[in-house]
């Protein structure tokens, strides 16, 4: 597979990840509407509000991700040959993305751990419905971000190795 085709494939995968965020956001918004409509306790109402906030965040991230990587995919779709300048820019951008993924991976793990501890501890506190229903969306979204980010990071590392080789630049 030519390097230019790998460039196109990585951005198609990123667009697919963006559409996954749209899907997750849609699921969260449907659940939050159902909870808001049929909530019988303050905890369920608060859970609906928390899921609604994260659904807006997820939908926004999906739209932004898809638009950014659609532009990059369109750029590589128009190219017929990957120049040395394009290769250098792509290496720099991929290295930046890998660094960002590494930092975010730690943040999401910390959020899952802290949110889980807060959620369990909240079961024994007076305002348990509010504490638990606030912790659940945070832990859920952090875990989803961690999983999607880890899959993207695996793809980026393989792509980065291909960019470092850059052997089929003339193909």
């Amino acid at each position: 597979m030519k390097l230019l085709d790998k460039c196109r494939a990585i951005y198609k995968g990123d667009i697919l990840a963006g559409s996954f965020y749209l899907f997750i956001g849609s699921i969260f918004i449907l659940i939050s509407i159902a909870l808001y409509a049929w909530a019988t306790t303050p905890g369920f109402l608060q859970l609906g509000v928390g899921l609604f906030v994260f659904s807006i965040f997820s939908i926004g991230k999906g739209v932004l991700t898809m638009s950014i990587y659609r532009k990059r995919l369109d750029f590589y779709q128009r190219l017929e040959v990957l120049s040395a300048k394009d290769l250098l820019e792509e290496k720099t951008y991929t290295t930046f993305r890998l660094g960002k993924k590494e930092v975010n991976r730690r943040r999401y793990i910390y959020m899952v751990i802290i949110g889980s501890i807060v959620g369990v501890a909240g079961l024994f506190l007076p305002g348990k419905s509010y504490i638990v229903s606030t912790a659940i969306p945070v832990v859920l979204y952090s875990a989803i971000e961690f999983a999607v980010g880890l899959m993207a990071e695996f793809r980026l590392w393989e792509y980065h190795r291909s960019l470092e080789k850059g052997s089929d630049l003339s193909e």
Side-chain angles (χ1 to χ4, degrees):
M1 179 180 247
K2 294 190 325 185
L3 195 54
L4 188 56
D5 292 334
K6 290 180 182 181
C7 292
R8 293 173 183 149
I10 198 78
Y11 292 117
K12 285 179 186 175
D14 290 332
I15 291 169
L16 187 61
S19 63
F20 180 73
Y21 282 117
L22 288 176
F23 174 72
I24 291 297
S26 301
I27 296 294
F28 279 1
I29 208 161
L30 290 175
I31 293 171
S32 70
I33 289 170
L35 284 171
Y36 188 76
W38 295 296
T40 56
T41 63
F44 284 126
L45 186 63
Q46 183 69 22
L47 180 61
V49 170
L51 287 175
F52 180 76
V53 169
F54 281 112
S55 71
I56 298 302
F57 182 73
S58 184
I59 290 170
K61 183 169 183 164
V63 167
L64 189 64
T65 300
M66 290 177 75
S67 67
I68 288 171
Y69 295 122
R70 169 59 61 192
K71 289 177 187 173
R72 292 190 73 89
L73 178 62
D74 289 345
F75 172 76
Y76 286 109
Q77 294 283 15
R78 287 190 300 268
L79 286 182
E80 291 184 26
V81 176
L82 191 63
S83 69
K85 178 183 170 246
D86 293 332
L87 179 64
L88 180 64
E89 193 272 332
E90 191 62 25
K91 282 183 193 177
T92 305
Y93 185 64
T94 303
T95 303
F96 163 74
R97 286 182 66 192
L98 283 168
K100 196 168 70 167
K101 295 278 182 206
E102 184 179 334
V103 170
N104 286 341
R105 181 174 10 107
R106 269 185 251 126
R107 286 180 183 157
Y108 293 132
I109 285 294
Y110 292 150
M111 287 305 299
V112 168
I113 292 170
I114 292 168
S116 298
I117 291 169
V118 167
V120 170
L123 292 173
F124 305 105
L125 297 173
K128 68 180 166 188
S129 64
Y130 292 110
I131 295 170
V132 173
S133 62
T134 302
I136 288 173
V138 171
V139 170
L140 185 61
Y141 193 77
S142 296
I144 290 168
E145 281 281 354
F146 174 75
V148 172
L150 199 59
M151 289 186 289
E153 189 175 356
F154 289 148
R155 289 183 315 109
L156 281 173
W157 273 115
E158 184 59 36
Y159 178 58
H160 189 263
R161 283 187 203 97
S162 297
L163 289 175
E164 286 298 321
K165 287 179 186 177
S167 59
D168 58 357
L169 191 60
S170 60
E171 292 181 24

